[in-house]
């Protein structure tokens, strides 16, 4: 991470160099969410009203938790997360089965369980769409593992009580009947012994497939509504009943979310499609997406040093990581995400996903990004370059191998090394992380466009049971750069300057400061470390 001590940065620019770093509380907190390195703090000091307001960023990732710290509102009080979409279909529930309630307001759930609907719920048609799903299918492996351990612990306690009770009955029988000669007594003792043996064997064959949740969808005359029965998740049989659920509708309408149970602390949103026949329950498939969103836009009014780069910006969460594939993205999910970004009229897309490719600038997804998203609808697409360095030609797709996408490498400053990474002897100047991917691409392109801080302590989903987490990677550098661009777009919109992806990219690359003295350093750093506070003047010059 800090072995290339020969790298240097223009000493006239304050980009978090060691000479300016003092290990006090404020500088430590600032190092956890780096903004000084790219000049975002200087830009906001000069233009506090251009903090991302009026800008909408689509986050193509593993999903954003709307309940996470700092992701509720913007600096001007607007909702932070405008929509949450599962582009993969991994949370879909088939709710095409329609049932009617009996005189007591009871319906048969898709799982076979009897469910009582709330009498206050409006349902003019009287039709209830029902479906069910194993709840573990919504959760990450980490959360599932935690829940299984906690559920196993409680199960063991009850199971040991049952074994102890069975042994007690067997002992009482043996004390009462010294000689067991009658056939009826023999059968009775055999039955008691079988109970003990069965309970002991059951402990060895324990396999928690997970609770089943029942879902109910109906139309209240105006909107499609959703309620879940989560009794199987709760210890108390009086909790989690369908009738007690506060109904949800498509997130973009009311921007409300639910929580499965206090045990998992996993928040979710609901979207209804196909006239009530498909219910999409959206959860994240890793903390990655929420962390990325926090770097770009988190707003902490009581802890401003931990704000994201553009705290005034708003988000669209496009989940491209498929829970069924261990958070891997699919082509279908990516195309759906592009459609959503265009439909929501987003200004920016951040995609901190990628993998190796044989052919740069090739494929259906890249063609759509180039022709439709960037050229036609004029969105600015920012993506991570990859974490496969330091070997040559390790840049990943699409960030480092697509000409219409701004690929971002990961930079570390002395302040970040000392504060976030606790390096005892941080480098005297900023440099690229050694694992940050390098160009060139196989067709001779530079690969990396620019660099931005590649590490941060940012918000994570509530199910992690913590507010923030340290992550490193070009996945973190990309939203840092994206947030910086959001500041610029916020200023351009406020000043009435037309936003062009070509003008912004040219200004972005022309205002970077070099990282490293050697020509080949550009293969890792691109044009260098972006500088937001220099961008506005250059864009103005281009615009006029």
């Amino acid at each position: 991470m800090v072995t290339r001590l020969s790298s240097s940065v223009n000493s006239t620019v304050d980009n978090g160099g060691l000479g300016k770093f003092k290990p006090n509380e404020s500088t430590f907190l600032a190092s956890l969410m780096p903004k000084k390195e790219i000049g975002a703090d200087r830009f906001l000091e000069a233009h506090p009203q251009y903090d991302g307001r009026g800008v909408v960023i689509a986050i193509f990732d593993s999903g954003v938790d709307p309940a996470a710290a700092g992701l509720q509102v913007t600096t001007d009080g607007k909702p932070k997360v405008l929509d949450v979409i599962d582009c993969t279909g991994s949370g879909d529930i088939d709710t095409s089965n329609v049932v009617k309630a009996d005189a007591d307001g009871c319906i048969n759930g898709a799982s076979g369980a009897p469910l009582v609907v709330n009498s206050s719920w409006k349902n003019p048609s009287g039709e209830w769409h029902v479906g069910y799903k194993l709840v573990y299918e919504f959760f990450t492996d980490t959360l599932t593992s935690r829940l299984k351990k906690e559920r196993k612990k409680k199960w063991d306690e009850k199971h040991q009580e049952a074994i102890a009770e069975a042994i007690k009955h067997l002992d009482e029988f043996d004390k009462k009947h010294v000689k067991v000669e009658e056939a009826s007594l023999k059968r009775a003792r055999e039955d008691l012994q079988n109970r003990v043996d069965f309970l002991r064997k059951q402990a060895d064959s324990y396999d928690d497939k997970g609770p089943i949740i029942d879902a109910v969808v109906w139309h209240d005359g105006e909107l499609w509504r959703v309620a879940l029965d989560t009794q199987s998740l709760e210890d108390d049989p009086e909790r989690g009943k369908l009738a007690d659920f506060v109904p949800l509708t498509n997130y973009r309408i009311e921007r409300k979310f639910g929580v499965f149970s206090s045990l998992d602390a996993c928040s979710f949103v609901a979207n209804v499609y196909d006239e009530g026949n498909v219910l999409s329950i959206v959860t994240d498939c890793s903390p990655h997406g929420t962390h990325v969103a926090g770097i770009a836009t988190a707003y902490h009014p009581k802890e401003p040093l931990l704000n994201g780069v553009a705290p005034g910006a708003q988000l669209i969460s496009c989940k491209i990581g498929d829970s069924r594939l261990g958070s891997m993205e699919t082509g279908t999910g990516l195309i759906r995400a592009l459609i959503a970004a265009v439909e929501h009229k987003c200004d920016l897309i951040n995609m901190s996903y990628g993998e190796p490719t044989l052919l740069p600038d090739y494929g259906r997804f890249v063609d759509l990004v180039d022709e439709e998203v960037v050229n036609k609808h004029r969105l600015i697409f920012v993506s991570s370059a990859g974490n496969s360095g330091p070997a040559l030609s390790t840049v990943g797709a699409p960030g480092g191998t697509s000409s219409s996408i701004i690929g971002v490498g990961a930079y570390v400053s002395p302040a970040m090394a000392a504060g976030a990474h606790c390096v005892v002897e941080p480098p005297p100047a900023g440099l690229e992380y050694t694992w940050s991917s390098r160009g060139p691409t196989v067709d001779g392109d530079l690969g990396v466009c620019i660099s931005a801080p590649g590490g941060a302590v940012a918000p994570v989903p509530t199910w992690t049971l913590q507010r923030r987490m340290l992550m490193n990677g070009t996945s973190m550098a990309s939203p840092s750069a994206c947030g910086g661009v959001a500041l610029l777009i916020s200023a351009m919109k406020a000043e009435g300057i037309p936003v062009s992806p070509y003008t912004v990219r040219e200004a972005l690359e022309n205002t970077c400061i070099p990282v490293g003295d050697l020509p080949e350093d550009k293969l890792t750093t691109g044009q260098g470390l972006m500088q937001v506070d220099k961008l506005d003047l250059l864009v103005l010059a281009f615009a006029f």
Side-chain angles (χ1 to χ4, degrees):
M1 179 182 67
V2 292
T3 55
R4 286 179 53 222
L5 301 183
S6 61
S7 298
S8 64
V9 178
N10 191 330
S11 60
T12 62
V13 179
D14 180 9
N15 71 332
L18 189 60
K20 297 292 183 180
F21 180 76
K22 295 181 180 179
N24 54 42
E25 182 178 1
S26 62
T27 54
F28 172 73
L29 289 176
S31 73
L32 302 183
M33 182 64 78
K35 295 183 283 287
K36 184 177 182 180
E37 286 78 356
I38 60 173
D41 59 339
R42 298 188 292 274
F43 181 90
L44 287 173
E45 186 177 352
H47 311 288
Q49 72 276 23
Y50 302 153
D51 58 0
R53 298 176 199 185
V55 178
V56 180
I57 303 174
I59 304 293
F60 289 12
D61 216 288
S62 62
V64 177
D65 182 1
L71 296 181
Q72 280 68 58
V73 296
T74 64
T75 50
D76 54 349
K78 295 179 180 178
K80 174 68 68 176
V81 183
L82 295 175
D83 202 359
V84 179
I85 309 163
D86 182 359
C87 300
T88 71
S90 59
D92 287 0
I93 300 176
D94 180 359
T95 51
S96 58
N97 185 20
V98 179
V99 299
K100 297 273 189 177
D102 62 19
D104 298 323
C106 184
I107 62 175
N108 289 321
S111 70
L115 305 172
V116 178
V117 299
N118 193 309
S119 59
S120 67
W121 294 345
K122 295 180 181 179
N123 186 354
S125 69
E127 296 182 342
W128 305 90
H129 293 250
V130 295
Y132 75 96
K133 202 175 184 77
L134 289 170
V135 76
Y136 287 167
E137 294 181 35
F138 296 122
F139 296 160
T140 67
D141 290 342
T142 302
L143 176 55
T144 299
S145 177
R146 173 168 70 81
L147 287 183
K148 284 186 174 182
K149 288 179 181 178
E150 294 182 11
R151 285 166 56 85
K152 179 66 162 58
K153 182 179 178 181
K154 293 179 179 179
W155 185 88
D156 282 342
E157 291 175 356
K158 294 180 179 179
H159 191 66
Q160 290 302 320
E161 290 177 1
I163 292 176
E165 187 69 17
I167 293 174
K168 177 184 175 183
H169 290 160
L170 180 61
D171 289 343
E172 289 175 348
F173 181 91
D174 288 341
K175 289 178 181 178
K176 186 176 181 180
H177 304 90
V178 180
K179 293 183 178 181
V180 181
E181 296 178 351
E182 296 180 12
S184 59
L185 290 178
K186 288 182 179 181
R187 286 194 297 269
R189 191 189 186 288
E190 185 179 352
D191 180 61
L192 290 172
Q193 183 63 55
N194 286 340
R195 290 183 187 182
V196 174
D197 295 340
F198 176 79
L199 287 170
R200 285 173 172 168
K201 188 179 295 184
Q202 193 177 32
D204 297 330
S205 60
Y206 175 87
D207 184 16
D208 183 7
K209 298 294 185 182
I212 290 176
I213 62 166
D214 274 286
V216 179
V217 176
W218 72 97
H219 199 278
D220 67 1
E222 297 179 1
L223 299 170
W224 286 102
R225 294 289 178 182
V226 177
L228 302 182
D229 183 276
T230 59
Q231 289 185 79
S232 58
L233 276 166
E234 304 284 358
D235 292 330
D236 186 348
E238 295 302 313
R239 297 174 61 185
K241 291 183 177 180
L242 178 75
D244 296 332
F245 191 91
V246 179
L248 300 174
T249 188
N250 288 19
Y251 182 83
R252 67 188 298 177
I253 298 174
E254 294 181 349
R255 300 191 180 94
K256 294 180 180 178
F257 57 86
V259 178
F260 289 105
S261 71
S262 56
L263 181 62
D264 55 78
C266 181
S267 55
F268 66 91
V269 308
N271 294 309
V272 181
Y273 303 108
D274 190 23
E275 295 299 311
N277 292 321
V278 176
L279 168 62
S280 174
I281 298 295
V282 192
T283 57
D284 59 84
C285 60
S286 85
H288 190 271
T290 302
H291 196 273
V292 164
I295 292 173
T297 70
Y299 174 53
H300 303 282
K302 295 182 180 180
E303 300 171 297
L305 288 174
L306 293 175
N307 282 349
V309 179
Q314 294 176 294
L315 299 174
I316 303 294
S317 171
C318 298
K319 179 184 175 183
I320 61 171
D322 196 312
S323 301
R324 298 164 296 189
L325 301 175
S327 79
M328 173 67 72
E329 81 276 23
T330 63
T332 301
L334 288 170
I335 302 304
R336 287 175 177 170
L338 291 177
I339 293 171
V342 171
E343 287 182 344
H344 282 79
K345 298 181 179 179
C346 295
D347 302 285
L348 283 157
I349 295 173
N350 183 88
M351 181 174 166
S352 292
Y353 258 60
E355 53 270 319
T357 182
L358 291 174
L359 300 173
D361 254 335
Y362 179 81
R364 178 63 176 158
F365 173 72
V366 173
D367 289 342
L368 285 174
V369 170
D370 188 18
E371 298 166 11
E372 295 292 325
V373 175
V374 176
N375 291 340
K376 182 178 178 179
H377 294 282
R378 304 175 78 80
L379 277 69
I380 300 170
F381 201 128
V382 184
S383 185
S384 51
N387 307 324
S388 300
L392 293 174
S393 300
T394 51
V395 285
T401 61
S402 305
S403 57
S404 57
I405 297 176
I406 300 172
V408 188
Y411 169 89
V412 59
S413 69
M416 291 169 61
H421 298 301
C422 301
V423 176
V424 177
E425 296 184 8
L431 64 156
E432 212 77 355
Y433 282 97
T434 53
W435 39 255
S436 188
S437 289
R438 287 173 173 255
T441 59
V442 295
D443 61 353
D445 190 81
L446 192 61
V448 182
C449 298
I450 60 170
S451 293
V457 174
V460 288
T462 54
W463 60 260
T464 64
L465 306 184
Q466 59 188 93
R467 289 171 59 85
R468 302 180 185 89
M469 187 182 294
L470 172 65
M471 292 188 191
N472 310 293
T474 55
S475 286
M476 285 64 248
S478 183
S480 178
C482 187
V485 176
L487 299 180
L488 175 64
I489 296 176
S490 180
M492 294 175 72
K493 285 188 170 185
E495 298 293 339
I497 301 172
V499 178
S500 163
Y502 321 109
T503 301
V504 169
R505 179 167 181 164
E506 188 172 357
L508 191 63
E509 293 181 346
N510 286 340
T511 53
C512 288
I513 57 173
V515 180
D517 297 324
L518 303 175
E520 56 265 31
D521 285 325
K522 281 197 172 184
L523 294 173
T524 304
T525 66
Q527 300 304 323
L529 183 65
M530 71 178 291
Q531 297 294 295
V532 180
D533 56 331
K534 291 183 178 181
L535 278 170
D536 53 347
L537 296 176
L538 195 54
V539 169
L540 284 170
F542 284 146
F544 299 102

